[in-house]
Amino acid sequence: MAEVEKGKKCKKCKILKLHAMSYEVKLKNKTIAIELQKRTEDRMTVKVDGRSVELGLVRVKQGSYSIILNNKVHNVVVVPIKGTKKFLVNNFIETQEVEVIDSESRYLSNRCKGTSADGEGTIVAPIPGKVVKVLVSKGQPVLAGQTVVIISAMKMESEFKALKAGVVVDVKVSEGQTVEGRQTLVVIDFNKE
Amino acid sequence: MIKKVLVANRGEIAVRVIRSCKEMGIKTVAVYSDADRTSQHVLHADEAYHIGPSPSLESYLNIDKIIQVAKESGADAVHPGYGFLSENTKFSDRCKLEGIKFVGPSAYSIANMGDKITARKTMIAAGVPVVPGTVDMVHSEEEALKTIEEIGLPVMIKASAGGGGKGMRLIKKAEEVTSGLRAARSEAKAAFNDDSVYIEKYIESPHHIEFQVLADSHGNAIHLFERECSVQRRHQKIIEETPSPILTHEKRMEMGAHAVAAAKAVNYEGAGTIEFIVDNDLNYYFLEMNTRLQVEHPITEMVVGVDLVKEQINIANGLPLTLKQDELTQTGHAIECRIYAEDPDNNFMPAPGQVTHIETPSGLGVRVDGYIYEGFVIPMYYDPLIAKLVVWGSTREESIQRTLRALHEFKVTGVKNNVRFLERIALADDFVKGNYNTHFIEDNFDFLMGGKEQNMQDDDVVSIAAFVEYLDRIGELKPKYEPATALNSWQKLKRARSARNARF
């Protein structure tokens, strides 16, 4: 990482802290250190987990990139997920979720460590739909794999289950209610049993 | 002659129908629920009427409301598309009563084909082969056992009013008869309020092949060859093709003649589909008739060179068919892939939501019948079908290659979809060889779910693209161009001046 002396502005980007910031991306449960080294109009060099990767990159339109890496053409669509630093990245093989971890998110996750990590689980609706049944109530113990909420969308009903055994801390939806995608349905404390 | 058509449907089929009406100089009336104000069919139509809340029961299935709109708009015909009210005898009768043409068969034909036992009897009388089994309802266990003795195990117990797999039981052993019969009857009673069941021989590893028919009000009926629909998952068709890779010319013409006989037996009028199940030795049996336009009708249009919606409207106008059976041929090969908003990695869970990005394929031999666009929110209330990719090629091989090429160009981001799953089907050895039946998906499941391996270079590209988007968004590296909404100082000056000089 290129160090910039404290209090001195970097000549290139004229922003104090740019080079001093470190980033990571999370892809498929892997955390990859990533750092921008050089960027021109259509080419860039990026350090990925210590490897220097040189590529051609052009933004064709908002969220749509043409990337040429080792002369191979990649067309990639990147769509941000609202309210997060996560992106849906579609590269023709599949759509994957990528999270960019910056100093802010690292700070937040450090601060919250011990209270939330592993201990609490939220069951989130992955899709918009209508709550058909809520099968648990606050304070109720649940077993791993127990169905907690049933949601109906597009004429199909899907069951949402507890990942691990625990106790229901909060039920955030009621029967008949319409939910958005990514809305929290139920919070479970896995430390209690 | 029909001058204005109310399209009593939504989604891709409503758009499809509107397109043909436009080409015929017919005005179109769209109806929409709360969830569908910005749906493509509303944007394409000449007139649009709100018909109620999002749930289908309160909008697209609301007969009174739709009839009211038809009268208010002065529509002289209603096209029901598929699903919703397309096979509803009450609706078809009501249209007739109100003096509105129903683009489809009479209530008599629909009812005759809708009840499975009646349909079986009618087909037997018309000389169309049906699956060996009972002609009448089965009431007692003794009757059931006697039938099973005659036709041999395995058998299917089916509800007469059935559909969608409800009230159906597969019986492989004699001791399962009692419980199977009871279960099928109680399920049928619960689902259709009718516990009549019948018994059919169970055809193992069947092919599902259907024939398109057209019949006019002058007694003319023709078939437009077959569609092979064996690529199914839980009775849901996924890919269809025509011609079928397993049929011979003789068998095709023989089945076609039986399809025409079936349509004539119920005085059919309009476009319809006769479904057959076919075993590996090409023995075929009548399964059911769909008295409407099918989802997969475009592949027939591609190889025969007709517009089935226009044919439907001409028939509704009382015109005789101009197509002659001996002049029809199948040219080349067509494949349809159904693009569903569903998540193959999560047990095919439906995936409504906002389409954040879409690229649809084009080029030689490619047709896309769809209704979604960038920014559109796919409602959670209706079918997950969002588009149909229909491809034509001069041979089956070319058609498969073109399907793969077009699927590669098809890109939907924001909602989960089955595009990659479809690609795997078109790559599967059994599909490429044309060696498949209705068990294809389960037999090839591991292969179909595979192919998602990404190498390090792919991972690098994905990580870097997300990272660059992040950097540009937080503005640490501002893009070189100005956003379209920003004004430079000259534009600001000009705007300020014109505002000062404005006179109202």
Side-chain angles (χ1 to χ4, degrees):
Chain A
M1 192 175 297
E3 289 290 334
V4 179
E5 272 182 59
K6 255 189 186 168
K8 275 194 185 168
K9 287 185 180 180
C10 165
K11 271 181 210 158
K12 221 170 110 207
C13 57
K14 292 176 183 135
I15 295 173
L16 196 62
K17 57 186 179 179
L18 178 66
H19 291 305
M21 250 166 121
S22 69
Y23 294 98
E24 285 168 323
V25 292
K26 221 173 179 172
L27 169 70
K28 282 185 277 213
N29 305 322
K30 277 186 299 183
T31 307
I32 305 160
I34 196 161
E35 184 195 335
L36 178 65
Q37 294 193 306
K38 208 168 118 194
R39 184 177 183 184
T40 65
E41 199 79 19
D42 64 346
R43 295 202 62 79
M44 66 197 312
T45 310
V46 182
K47 214 170 194 178
V48 182
D49 263 348
R51 289 175 291 115
S52 196
V53 180
E54 245 193 277
L55 68 156
L57 179 145
V58 177
R59 182 194 281 211
V60 185
K61 60 173 183 172
Q62 177 77 44
S64 188
Y65 294 90
S66 163
I67 293 172
I68 300 176
L69 176 56
N70 298 338
N71 299 319
K72 199 175 166 231
V73 175
H74 300 262
N75 299 306
V76 184
V77 176
V78 184
V79 179
I81 300 171
K82 259 185 202 149
T84 66
K85 284 171 185 163
K86 291 176 185 165
F87 299 86
L88 290 174
V89 184
N90 186 339
N91 74 337
F92 277 109
I93 302 172
E94 62 179 326
T95 300
Q96 299 183 88
E97 201 174 285
V98 182
E99 184 179 7
V100 176
I101 301 167
D102 58 13
S103 49
E104 187 196 10
S105 35
R106 208 169 294 127
Y107 169 73
L108 287 173
S109 84
N110 280 337
R111 207 178 57 167
C112 300
K113 232 178 216 163
T115 55
S116 131
D118 297 325
E120 246 177 30
T122 52
I123 296 182
V124 175
I127 50 165
K130 193 174 175 185
V131 179
V132 179
K133 257 200 166 78
V134 178
L135 297 156
V136 293
S137 51
K138 205 171 162 178
Q140 184 183 331
V142 288
L143 299 169
Q146 185 176 336
T147 302
V148 172
V149 177
I150 301 177
I151 297 222
S152 136
M154 292 174 155
K155 304 189 274 185
M156 287 248 302
E157 288 186 357
S158 312
E159 297 185 358
F160 294 88
K161 298 167 194 288
L163 207 64
K164 293 188 255 179
V167 172
V168 177
V169 181
D170 201 0
V171 178
K172 298 205 179 268
V173 291
S174 52
E175 285 174 18
Q177 184 185 337
T178 304
V179 292
E180 301 289 317
R182 301 186 170 271
Q183 187 173 332
T184 301
L185 307 172
V186 172
V187 185
I188 297 169
D189 187 343
F190 294 134
N191 288 329
K192 291 185 199 160
E193 258 185 67
Chain B
M1 289 291 141
I2 294 167
K3 291 195 176 62
K4 194 188 261 189
V5 168
L6 182 147
V7 184
N9 214 303
R10 65 175 302 281
E12 69 85 17
I13 193 62
V15 176
R16 160 76 191 87
V17 171
I18 290 170
R19 282 182 172 144
S20 286
C21 290
K22 285 220 158 135
E23 291 175 16
M24 296 175 92
I26 296 171
K27 293 280 178 222
T28 50
V29 180
V31 289
Y32 63 95
S33 69
D34 284 348
D36 271 336
R37 171 61 187 88
T38 56
S39 216
Q40 281 273 23
H41 71 286
V42 178
L43 310 182
H44 278 244
D46 294 303
E47 293 173 33
Y49 290 77
H50 178 249
I51 50 164
S54 304
S56 315
L57 267 177
E58 298 166 59
S59 48
Y60 298 107
L61 292 172
N62 185 338
I63 294 178
D64 289 339
K65 187 76 198 172
I66 289 170
I67 294 286
Q68 185 197 322
V69 169
K71 291 169 110 175
E72 197 183 326
S73 63
D76 41 20
V78 169
H79 194 300
Y82 54 70
F84 294 128
L85 296 170
S86 60
E87 288 173 292
N88 186 311
T89 49
K90 270 188 207 145
F91 185 59
S92 134
D93 269 343
R94 182 73 188 278
C95 287
K96 202 173 168 186
L97 194 76
E98 305 276 356
I100 302 159
K101 275 184 185 140
F102 177 80
V103 182
S106 65
Y108 167 79
S109 305
I110 300 174
N112 232 300
M113 283 303 192
D115 183 78
K116 303 274 165 84
I117 293 179
T118 316
R120 264 176 82 82
K121 280 187 188 166
T122 316
M123 289 308 112
I124 292 167
V128 180
V130 298
V131 181
T134 49
V135 180
D136 285 302
M137 281 181 282
V138 175
H139 297 285
S140 68
E141 204 180 317
E142 294 80 67
E143 263 180 82
L145 284 166
K146 200 174 142 252
T147 310
I148 290 165
E149 210 164 281
E150 278 167 31
I151 60 176
L153 286 165
V155 298
M156 275 299 239
I157 301 180
K158 290 181 171 182
S160 182
K166 286 211 176 77
M168 246 160 76
R169 275 288 180 287
L170 172 63
I171 309 291
K172 285 184 172 165
K173 294 180 213 135
E175 54 265 34
E176 293 169 359
V177 173
T178 317
S179 64
L181 191 64
R182 197 184 308 129
R185 287 176 76 162
S186 73
E187 227 176 88
K189 176 85 185 164
F192 317 108
N193 198 26
D194 176 359
D195 69 352
S196 20
V197 294
Y198 63 103
I199 295 174
E200 263 183 18
K201 179 143 185 69
Y202 176 65
I203 312 288
E204 298 192 53
S205 56
H207 294 259
H208 178 138
I209 297 176
E210 59 185 31
F211 274 71
Q212 177 69 52
V213 293
L214 284 174
D216 65 21
S217 54
H218 305 273
N220 304 307
I222 55 168
H223 72 85
L224 292 87
F225 312 102
E226 82 281 15
R227 292 185 287 260
E228 166 77 60
C229 307
S230 300
V231 181
Q232 307 183 347
R233 198 186 67 85
R234 293 190 196 154
H235 304 289
Q236 173 90 279
K237 294 168 191 163
I238 302 173
I239 289 187
E240 303 93 352
E241 63 175 318
T242 181
S244 162
I246 64 159
L247 283 192
T248 60
H249 178 72
E250 291 70 35
K251 206 44 109 177
R252 174 174 298 121
M253 297 325 273
E254 189 188 318
M255 289 172 78
H258 274 134
V260 168
K264 283 190 166 171
V266 289
N267 303 326
Y268 199 77
E269 259 181 54
T273 296
I274 310 289
E275 294 192 346
F276 292 104
I277 47 174
V278 182
D279 68 17
N280 283 332
D281 304 321
L282 299 189
N283 296 309
Y284 60 92
Y285 310 98
F286 170 85
L287 189 64
E288 60 179 19
M289 179 172 194
N290 294 311
T291 56
R292 54 171 157 84
L293 199 62
Q294 297 275 95
V295 175
E296 59 274 22
H297 76 275
I299 55 172
T300 298
E301 297 183 324
M302 301 299 268
V303 297
V304 182
V306 293
D307 181 328
L308 287 170
V309 173
K310 284 182 189 165
E311 294 298 327
Q312 284 186 301
I313 291 172
N314 284 338
I315 293 167
N317 268 327
L319 297 172
L321 284 172
T322 52
L323 301 164
K324 300 272 176 293
Q325 188 71 65
D326 51 12
E327 290 168 4
L328 295 178
T329 49
Q330 292 166 296
T331 307
H333 192 95
I335 296 177
E336 174 185 272
C337 293
R338 299 191 185 192
I339 319 280
Y340 289 112
E342 65 182 15
D343 184 2
D345 294 323
N346 201 349
N347 198 23
F348 297 86
M349 189 196 288
Q354 186 172 36
V355 179
T356 44
H357 182 96
I358 179 164
E359 272 169 51
T360 47
S362 55
L364 182 60
V366 175
R367 160 179 174 184
V368 178
D369 279 20
Y371 80 105
I372 62 165
Y373 53 89
E374 217 157 282
F376 179 68
V377 179
I378 302 171
M380 54 179 251
Y381 301 96
Y382 316 111
D383 198 85
L385 181 73
I386 50 176
K388 305 184 304 202
L389 169 67
V390 185
V391 155
W392 180 90
S394 52
T395 60
R396 186 169 187 269
E397 290 68 37
E398 187 183 42
S399 192
I400 293 174
Q401 289 302 325
R402 191 164 282 160
T403 298
L404 284 166
R405 185 269 289 174
L407 285 170
H408 189 75
E409 289 175 21
F410 214 123
K411 204 168 198 183
V412 183
T413 317
V415 292
K416 298 266 180 64
N417 59 78
N418 66 337
V419 171
R420 295 287 83 84
F421 185 72
L422 291 165
E423 200 170 38
R424 294 298 283 179
I425 295 176
L427 284 168
D429 203 38
D430 282 347
F431 183 81
V432 172
K433 288 187 178 143
N435 169 34
Y436 65 89
N437 56 43
T438 46
H439 301 307
F440 169 78
I441 300 278
E442 47 186 298
D443 289 349
N444 290 276
F445 200 69
D446 289 341
F447 176 83
L448 299 179
M449 294 308 289
K452 272 171 283 200
E453 303 78 22
Q454 306 226 15
N455 60 31
M456 193 168 75
Q457 190 166 319
D458 295 320
D459 281 352
D460 283 354
V461 165
V462 167
S463 310
I464 291 168
F467 182 52
V468 169
E469 179 77 14
Y470 163 84
L471 289 178
D472 288 354
R473 274 184 183 267
I474 63 165
E476 289 206 6
L477 286 163
K478 285 227 170 74
K480 299 280 181 289
Y481 51 83
E482 290 253 300
T485 49
L487 300 172
N488 64 34
S489 355
W490 288 110
Q491 286 173 311
K492 278 184 196 153
L493 182 65
K494 188 183 166 208
R495 198 166 276 193
R497 277 193 182 150
S498 41
R500 217 177 324 157
N501 299 334
R503 298 278 180 277
F504 296 101

